[in-house]
Amino acid sequence: MTAQTVETEDLATVIGLEVHVQLETETKIFCGCSTDPSDDPNTNTCPVCLGLPGALPVVNEAAVEAAVKVGKAIDATIPEETTFHRKNYYYPDLPKNFQITQYDDPICQDGELAFSVEGERRSVEIRRAHLEEDPGSLQHVGGGIDTADYTLVDYNRAGTPLMEVVTEPDFRSPGEVRAFLAADEIDESTLDDADPNRTEVKNISSHRGAEKALAYEETRQKNAIKRGRAVEQETRHWDESKGVTLSMRSKEEEKDYRYFREADLPPLRVADWKERLEIPELPDARRKRFREEYGLSAEAASKLTSTKEVADFFENVASEFDADLAATWVADELLGELNYRDMQITDVADRFDAIERLVELVATDEITTKNARETVLRGMLDDGDTPDEIVEREGLGKTSGDAVRDAVEAAIDENPDAVSDYHDGEDGAINFLVGQVMQKTGGSADPGDVNQRLREELEG
Ligand code: ZN
Ligand code: MN
């Protein structure tokens, strides 16, 4: 870009991500050390993950399986054979002075991930996702990365399995990035780049942090271009506490890393793993299935697949009752009341049976929808009572047929004027009589049912 001044309105934001996802294995990727993050510093180490001379790595099968499952989830190509490479660089948290990673034949290639942003479906292409080892962790004491008095290093994390997921530069705003990160439940992310001179931002550790760092970069780069300055190709550090990015170093190029094959690890043949390994149904597929199988609206299907727990509970309820009723009670009534109380579905996981009983009371017409919603559900959430306790205590059970018939007869006997008004064709008379019956039954009769019974009785 050569223009001295550029209208920032003409500039498009282009963001790609390299996201590091920690794989949840019991042990590290190339040795048997525990990955438990709660252990004391430098206790989960061995000659392999400390990079001692002569120590040889062995691949953790569980990490490879997890990577293949990620590949299936993003519909990636998984090659017949995949290999490991050494990425050479010096850093205090990297005891071998190289990181074992993958280079030209990563385990997952050309995938795709769908997500929702402001109610719209978007899909981002995944260029590659490869396996690698995490470095150790540094703890800066007495200041930040540039001001600390000294720095401690913990090698417990060194060798924890990671997948680095690299997207195509398909994002157009920091908000999209945040929505994408939420969709994949990815824990940690590290980068954006904006061509032609890409800027990489590191040390981002939350979805919110990613959005903030990217918004900061968007403004910083637009301002630089507006003033006729070039955007440097460099690596910048995201300072969460100050809310700014700071220049760390000029961006490494691939050749700086002197990639070469990790000769201590033979090629991995993973061709048939994709068929062998099963993955759970993903939220997007489930959302689609909910629409088709249960005939739900797009909005209801989205709400009901917002978390796995919500989706599982809905399917449980829908297996016993009408799907529309189940959708209304889970998506609207239950989630609405939970949201109002700042609660999550997981907060009521031990009360699913009671909530299903409430739906049953509505489904079998034993209580009115209004009472179920306003008295029973709220009482259950606020006081922890069971639906039957609340129905009993508040006298909400719909009055049985006999009692309604008695009340209808009594209302007719006691109100001859209203009866003759009805026969004279006065509209208000029937409503008056319905009111009388409702009063006699303590409001627990169904008004539509009462109306019909009165008419039958008066016409008969
Ligand atoms: Zn180890
Ligand atoms: Mn990486």
Side-chain angles (χ1 to χ4, degrees):
M1 188 157 301
T2 52
Q4 287 302 300
T5 50
V6 178
E7 288 302 316
T8 53
E9 290 72 33
D10 297 338
L11 298 173
T13 299
V14 178
I15 304 168
L17 290 179
E18 286 173 15
V19 183
H20 287 96
V21 183
Q22 215 169 60
L23 300 177
E24 289 183 353
T25 55
E26 300 276 312
T27 57
K28 295 185 181 181
I29 185 168
F30 300 121
C31 63
C33 291
S34 166
T35 52
D36 190 338
S38 65
D39 289 334
D40 287 340
N42 296 305
T43 53
N44 295 329
T45 58
C46 74
V48 173
C49 56
L50 288 176
L52 300 188
L56 293 171
V58 176
V59 180
N60 180 347
E61 184 179 14
V64 180
E65 285 186 352
V68 171
K69 286 180 184 173
V70 169
K72 285 186 78 161
I74 61 174
D75 199 20
T77 302
I78 295 178
E80 290 277 307
E81 198 173 275
T82 185
T83 58
F84 290 96
H85 274 69
R86 293 184 178 187
K87 180 182 183 181
N88 297 279
Y89 67 99
Y90 168 78
Y91 210 65
D93 59 11
L94 193 69
K96 295 194 295 288
N97 284 351
F98 62 83
Q99 177 191 35
I100 304 180
T101 180
Q102 299 198 278
Y103 185 52
D104 50 5
D105 51 11
I107 191 159
C108 304
Q109 303 166 16
D110 303 322
E112 166 178 38
L113 187 71
F115 64 105
S116 279
V117 56
E118 285 162 14
E120 262 184 59
R121 300 308 292 168
R122 284 270 283 118
S123 155
V124 157
E125 284 187 44
I126 308 291
R127 186 180 297 171
R128 54 183 284 152
H130 66 249
L131 274 169
E132 63 184 30
E133 56 181 340
D134 211 351
S137 51
L138 298 177
Q139 194 191 326
H140 305 294
V141 180
I145 191 170
D146 48 349
T147 55
D149 296 329
Y150 58 93
T151 297
L152 299 169
V153 61
D154 177 8
Y155 291 115
N156 278 2
R157 201 180 67 183
T160 298
L162 295 181
M163 277 211 93
E164 181 178 317
V165 180
V166 182
T167 75
E168 295 294 343
D170 287 350
F171 298 99
R172 293 292 172 269
S173 75
E176 275 189 14
V177 170
R178 187 175 180 181
F180 167 82
L181 293 173
D184 204 31
E185 286 166 9
I186 281 166
D187 297 325
E188 198 179 327
S189 68
T190 14
L191 169 150
D192 81 317
D193 54 300
D195 278 327
N197 284 331
R198 6 182 290 170
T199 302
E200 173 164 341
V201 184
K202 281 192 180 286
N203 311 109
I204 300 169
S205 55
S206 69
H207 302 168
R208 206 172 134 64
E211 186 177 19
K212 279 160 52 182
L214 290 168
Y216 179 88
E217 269 307 295
E218 195 176 34
T219 308
R220 188 187 69 81
Q221 293 184 19
K222 277 184 180 172
N223 284 339
I225 293 165
K226 203 172 169 185
R227 291 176 194 139
R229 289 207 304 267
V231 175
E232 302 289 329
Q233 173 158 328
E234 62 178 348
T235 298
R236 298 178 70 86
H237 162 76
W238 168 241
D239 188 324
E240 178 83 55
S241 61
K242 296 200 187 94
V244 297
T245 67
L246 304 166
S247 183
M248 281 172 85
R249 54 179 186 263
S250 62
K251 171 90 185 87
E252 308 80 0
E253 289 183 51
E254 204 169 273
K255 65 179 182 339
D256 296 331
Y257 288 117
R258 295 165 14 255
Y259 280 96
F260 58 84
R261 271 288 307 281
E262 169 54 274
D264 290 337
L265 290 166
L268 266 179
R269 293 197 57 81
V270 285
D272 57 333
W273 288 38
K274 197 171 173 179
E275 275 62 61
R276 182 170 64 79
L277 297 172
E278 306 250 324
I279 56 165
E281 188 179 27
L282 295 166
D284 210 51
R286 203 169 194 186
R287 189 184 54 81
K288 262 187 217 140
R289 179 168 64 79
F290 277 14
R291 293 206 62 182
E292 284 158 17
E293 190 175 330
Y294 301 108
L296 301 180
S297 69
E299 194 197 350
S302 276
K303 276 191 194 172
L304 290 170
T305 50
S306 56
T307 71
K308 185 174 181 300
E309 288 78 12
V310 169
D312 288 346
F313 182 54
F314 163 72
E315 289 218 88
N316 214 348
V317 178
S319 72
E320 286 179 53
F321 307 102
D322 172 70
D324 279 337
L325 187 74
T328 302
W329 277 87
V330 178
D332 298 332
E333 308 297 354
L334 178 61
L335 292 184
E337 293 293 331
L338 289 175
N339 190 33
Y340 178 71
R341 287 165 178 74
D342 224 0
M343 289 167 74
Q344 307 294 321
I345 189 87
T346 44
D347 296 329
V348 291
D350 57 346
R351 310 204 54 212
F352 281 169
D353 285 350
I355 296 165
E356 277 185 51
R357 170 66 182 150
L358 170 60
V359 178
E360 184 181 22
L361 289 170
V362 177
T364 54
D365 230 17
E366 287 169 64
I367 55 176
T368 63
T369 302
K370 187 170 184 285
N371 284 334
R373 181 194 300 135
E374 291 174 10
T375 310
V376 183
L377 180 58
R378 290 178 190 171
M380 287 170 67
L381 295 176
D382 291 335
D383 309 321
D385 297 333
T386 69
D388 291 291
E389 280 166 359
I390 299 168
V391 169
E392 174 74 33
R393 188 179 65 223
E394 306 287 332
L396 302 177
K398 279 191 192 170
T399 306
S400 71
D402 282 351
V404 177
R405 194 184 327 115
D406 290 349
V408 166
E409 283 171 9
I412 289 170
D413 288 348
E414 290 164 18
N415 297 283
D417 290 351
V419 172
S420 71
D421 285 350
Y422 171 80
H423 289 301
D424 291 344
E426 270 191 45
D427 289 344
I430 190 80
N431 293 335
F432 172 79
L433 289 169
V434 170
Q436 293 300 301
V437 177
M438 294 306 287
Q439 209 168 38
K440 286 177 191 297
T441 55
S444 61
D446 180 75
D449 178 48
V450 170
N451 190 305
Q452 196 185 341
R453 282 168 182 268
L454 276 167
R455 285 177 194 276
E456 280 166 11
E457 196 71 25
L458 291 164
E459 300 297 330

